[in-house]
Amino acid sequence: MALTVVYTAGTGHVVGALALTGAGAPADVAALVGRALPMRVCVDQGRVATLPLNAGNLAVAVVDDEPAALVDPLAFGVELNPEGRPGPTLTRLATWTGGAGVALTPNGLTITVQVAPARPAKVVALVSADQDTHVLAGELPAQQTRVTLPVSLDAGGKHGVLVLAAGWAGLLEEANVT
């Protein structure tokens, strides 16, 4: 059985997966997710923050069956071949362990990974803010374990955060502004 995945074009993160019987999934990502794919996380005692991934930044691929991608899609990535087409096998991405993660301050989102990448790694992050979403982009420099992306937030607030750093599993969690 083949698996259909929706992934971010910039970082390769799988953000949704579905197994179909019969007809295949549409090749047009907007036909699957609409204008945006909502990623949701509970914040502040049950309030839900929605972080929409714009359909224009997403793509669809049919890949080899990987049942774990149905349970935890953010743990997987799609690798593109030299022609820019997705390969048939999903890659399990590195996990956030050993103090790795995110920290929010009134002036920025700091992303820390446990192992420094050999090459610069693209980073996309979404931070909820009342009715809006801050979309941040940057790079984790080669041989560095930390990057801070600028964002303006009120001190003491709680926000939903989605971090997609190339090579690491997607991180979707609540974060407090300290």
Side-chain angles (χ1 to χ4, degrees):
M1 175 188 288
L3 184 69
T4 300
V5 296
V6 175
Y7 66 96
T8 59
T11 63
H13 286 84
V14 174
V15 292
L18 56 130
L20 300 173
T21 56
D28 176 29
V29 73
L32 285 173
V33 303
R35 292 188 337 224
L37 175 65
M39 304 294 285
R40 293 183 173 91
V41 60
C42 288
V43 295
D44 199 22
Q45 301 176 12
R47 185 174 56 89
V48 175
T50 301
L51 302 163
L53 292 168
N54 186 308
N57 298 326
L58 302 173
V60 175
V62 176
V63 297
D64 294 341
D65 191 27
E66 176 56 71
L70 293 167
V71 176
D72 188 10
L74 290 173
F76 293 90
V78 171
E79 290 199 26
L80 302 180
N81 65 23
E83 293 82 36
R85 290 188 298 258
T89 305
L90 294 178
T91 302
R92 184 167 285 274
L93 301 171
T95 58
W96 298 81
T97 59
V102 299
L104 272 177
T105 67
N107 299 319
L109 170 68
T110 299
I111 300 161
T112 305
V113 296
Q114 188 174 7
V115 178
R119 296 184 299 268
K122 289 184 181 181
V123 177
V124 175
L126 281 70
V127 179
S128 68
D130 295 323
Q131 300 302 318
D132 295 324
T133 300
H134 298 283
V135 179
L136 315 173
E139 280 188 346
L140 184 62
Q143 308 306 320
Q144 300 289 318
T145 59
R146 182 175 295 167
V147 63
T148 299
L149 304 175
V151 63
S152 180
L153 301 167
D154 293 332
K158 294 184 181 198
H159 300 270
V161 176
L162 173 65
V163 174
L164 304 173
W168 285 270
L171 189 63
L172 179 62
E173 65 181 34
E174 174 190 68
N176 297 320
V177 179
T178 57

